[in-house]
Amino acid sequence: MLNIIFTQRRRNSIERSPAKTNKTNKTNILAAVHTWLAVCLLAAVTACANSPNSKALEESLAADPKLKQNPVVFSSPPPATAVDTNSTAKLPPDFPTEIPLYPNAQLIEVGGETDPQKNVRLRWESTDPVNSVGNFYSTEFGRRNWEIVSRPTAEGQGSLVATRDNLRVTVSLSPTQKVGGSTEFAIDYSKDSPEIAASPQPNNSESSASPTPTPSPSNSEGTTPTPSASPKAAKVSEQEGQIPQQLRQYVADLTQLEVLKVRSSPRASLTTDSANLETASTLPKPNKIVTRREYARWLVAANNQIYASRQAKQIRLAVDSSEPAFSDLPKTDPDFSAIQGLAEAGVIPSSLSGETKDVKFRPDAPLTRETMILWKVPLDTRQVLPTANIEGVKEKWGFQDASKIDSQASRAVLADFNNGDLANIRRVFGFTTLFQPKKSVTRAEAAASLWYFGVQDQGLSAKDAVQAKSQPAE
């Protein structure tokens, strides 16, 4: 049919003029092509409509009917919970100003009782790591003369507990941080806590999470109650206002043993009249610098009283026939028997031990920190002091002035570190990075060093001796 149409039109074009023939030919050709394409397309569609694949193609392109029955609702994910930095929590109006506050922390909640006589809890949040918060409070409590009862473990478990006067503070640290890098910690404080009102147990824990238990006296069975206050103890209370709070219990226990005796007049030291020694249970002028003779006298008396039932550990007093170990301490000196006895026992350096070329004792000179440790530690370890150097002392204690410590005294300082929480330095001076070896010692500090004799779990305290003394004889 296409050929017939094409032939007819060709014949008609021949009869026309040449100019019109070319134009007409082009138009006819395009029309013929369009017609042919339309016929082909119609045939193809008709064929597909009758083929078996047409239905499959239609179904594959159709929408899923299940979506019409159970449409799926897409919701946007919930936004991440942000830390609220606009907390309106405020400190209680009667918040104790002596409690240090971490500078880079925000108060997020005040809980517990509003009455300061009961427990009050403050929840804080900081962007600093948990160890920075812990180090801050450990340092600040020590610097502000708080008594640290317990510390967290190295892994961050436990709480930092400190007391001062009638105030008890617990800093609870979380070992893990919240998402976003924030650290939460809590401060609980209370006044007139029953734990504080009770008879306190001296404790200067440096690294343990719980207080060190007081060793039981060898001649006691079970736990002995703290002796009730006596007239002698009442005299101690008169001096408490002058004694640093951390040292009061040590002094109270030792004065009950009547070992902290001082002479009423300086002239009495030039005589042999021992009646001038004050025998009452009191420590006058506790912040006065203690002399070398006074500490030597107390050292012998405290050791012998605490080990009253163990004569093998007592210091023997020198007799008049002894050859003086020091040129400035004649036999007529009232403290000759105690000082000479320490020298003959090898506790203090002298010409007898060959550890010093100095033949003078200087009994009325101030007692220094390094000398106190040098004399006291041998009665704790009951062994030859270990060798030591500046690097070893600095590594153990972290003292910045370790190079200023006398070479002999550094041996005792190093041995004292090995006594853990019962170390004399920790008990007397608390936490410090400066030993100040040449600094003079007060009477109260000297008494604190004499509160405990021995190494960990193998010694006795003045409190043990008081309890043993109060028990009726069998």
Side-chain angles (χ1 to χ4, degrees):
M1 182 180 66
L2 292 176
N3 290 333
I4 295 172
I5 296 172
F6 182 76
T7 303
Q8 182 65 32
R9 291 190 176 185
R10 184 178 180 183
R11 289 178 180 176
N12 294 334
S13 64
I14 295 175
E15 296 177 357
R16 299 176 185 176
S17 60
K20 295 181 178 181
T21 301
N22 292 334
K23 183 176 181 181
T24 304
N25 288 340
K26 293 180 180 179
T27 303
N28 292 338
I29 291 173
L30 290 175
V33 171
H34 291 167
T35 303
W36 182 81
L37 291 175
V39 173
C40 291
L41 181 59
L42 181 60
V45 172
T46 304
C48 290
N50 298 326
S51 67
N53 296 328
S54 62
K55 188 174 182 180
L57 179 62
E58 180 182 359
E59 293 177 354
S60 64
L61 298 177
D64 189 353
K66 296 181 180 180
L67 295 178
K68 296 181 180 180
Q69 300 174 1
N70 300 306
V72 179
V73 179
F74 295 94
S75 60
S76 58
T81 303
V83 177
D84 182 11
T85 57
N86 298 318
S87 174
T88 58
K90 295 182 180 180
L91 285 173
D94 53 357
F95 178 77
T97 57
E98 56 265 42
I99 300 178
L101 295 179
Y102 191 70
N104 188 27
Q106 184 175 16
L107 181 63
I108 59 178
E109 183 182 0
V110 178
E113 300 287 344
T114 56
D115 185 358
Q117 301 298 327
K118 300 180 181 179
N119 186 71
V120 180
R121 163 162 283 215
L122 308 177
R123 288 182 57 242
W124 299 80
E125 191 172 64
S126 174
T127 56
D128 294 341
V130 65
N131 62 325
S132 297
V133 179
N135 291 339
F136 169 81
Y137 278 100
S138 179
T139 302
E140 285 299 307
F141 281 140
R143 188 177 67 85
R144 300 188 185 191
N145 296 325
W146 285 73
E147 181 178 1
I148 297 180
V149 178
S150 66
R151 299 176 184 270
T153 62
E155 293 77 17
Q157 301 292 336
S159 302
L160 178 64
V161 181
T163 60
R164 179 177 170 182
D165 298 331
N166 65 335
L167 185 63
R168 182 183 184 91
V169 177
T170 301
V171 181
S172 303
L173 304 172
S174 176
T176 58
Q177 289 183 303
K178 294 175 59 179
V179 177
S182 61
T183 299
E184 279 196 10
F185 62 96
I187 297 178
D188 296 83
Y189 67 91
S190 61
K191 293 183 178 180
D192 294 328
S193 171
E195 295 180 359
I196 302 175
S199 179
Q201 188 75 5
N203 193 315
N204 287 266
S205 174
E206 180 67 19
S207 58
S208 63
S210 60
T212 304
T214 304
S216 301
S218 57
N219 60 345
S220 63
E221 297 179 1
T223 302
T224 305
T226 302
S228 58
S230 62
K232 295 179 180 180
K235 296 182 180 180
V236 177
S237 63
E238 297 176 1
Q239 303 292 332
E240 285 187 355
Q242 303 176 29
I243 303 173
Q245 189 270 338
Q246 297 87 345
L247 308 181
R248 289 177 187 173
Q249 190 63 43
Y250 302 130
V251 174
D253 291 339
L254 285 163
T255 50
Q256 289 189 61
L257 293 178
E258 301 183 4
V259 297
L260 303 179
K261 297 179 181 180
V262 296
R263 286 189 167 81
S264 57
S265 172
R267 294 184 178 180
S269 62
L270 302 178
T271 68
T272 57
D273 186 8
S274 59
N276 288 304
L277 283 174
E278 294 184 357
T279 57
S281 296
T282 183
L283 180 61
K285 299 180 181 179
N287 295 319
K288 181 180 179 181
I289 300 301
V290 67
T291 63
R292 289 164 61 94
R293 75 161 61 247
E294 284 177 330
Y295 188 73
R297 182 197 315 140
W298 295 353
L299 182 61
V300 174
N303 178 85
N304 291 354
Q305 278 283 357
I306 290 176
Y307 287 114
S309 61
R310 303 174 67 176
Q311 295 187 6
K313 290 195 173 185
Q314 293 184 2
I315 301 296
R316 299 291 188 270
L317 299 178
V319 295
D320 294 340
S321 60
S322 299
E323 187 67 25
F326 303 100
S327 60
D328 58 347
L329 196 74
K331 298 179 182 181
T332 56
D333 189 279
D335 295 308
F336 172 79
S337 60
I339 298 173
Q340 181 74 15
L342 289 171
E344 292 182 351
V347 176
I348 61 177
S350 68
S351 59
L352 299 178
S353 61
E355 295 178 315
T356 179
K357 296 180 181 179
D358 192 354
V359 295
K360 292 186 177 182
F361 182 74
R362 300 183 298 280
D364 297 314
L367 179 75
T368 62
R369 289 185 171 188
E370 64 180 6
T371 301
M372 181 182 72
I373 299 300
L374 178 61
W375 293 1
K376 172 60 167 54
V377 171
L379 291 177
D380 290 327
T381 62
R382 309 280 169 166
Q383 295 178 356
V384 177
L385 296 176
T387 57
N389 51 41
I390 297 175
E391 291 74 17
V393 173
K394 192 171 184 179
E395 179 183 357
K396 293 291 186 181
W397 282 105
F399 291 147
Q400 303 176 43
D401 53 356
S403 60
K404 298 180 181 180
I405 304 175
D406 178 78
S407 57
Q408 272 190 322
S410 64
R411 299 168 59 191
V413 171
L414 185 61
D416 192 43
F417 178 85
N418 297 330
N419 213 6
D421 295 336
L422 295 173
N424 297 280
I425 294 175
R426 292 192 179 104
R427 182 168 62 254
V428 178
F429 307 117
F431 172 78
T432 178
T433 60
L434 289 174
F435 181 52
Q436 304 180 73
K438 313 301 180 186
K439 185 177 180 179
S440 300
V441 179
T442 67
R443 287 177 172 178
E445 291 173 337
S449 72
L450 302 174
W451 184 81
Y452 185 87
F453 283 81
V455 295
Q456 298 185 71
D457 302 326
Q458 298 180 16
L460 291 175
S461 68
K463 188 175 183 66
D464 299 328
V466 171
Q467 293 175 349
K469 191 176 181 180
S470 65
Q471 291 179 350
E474 295 182 358

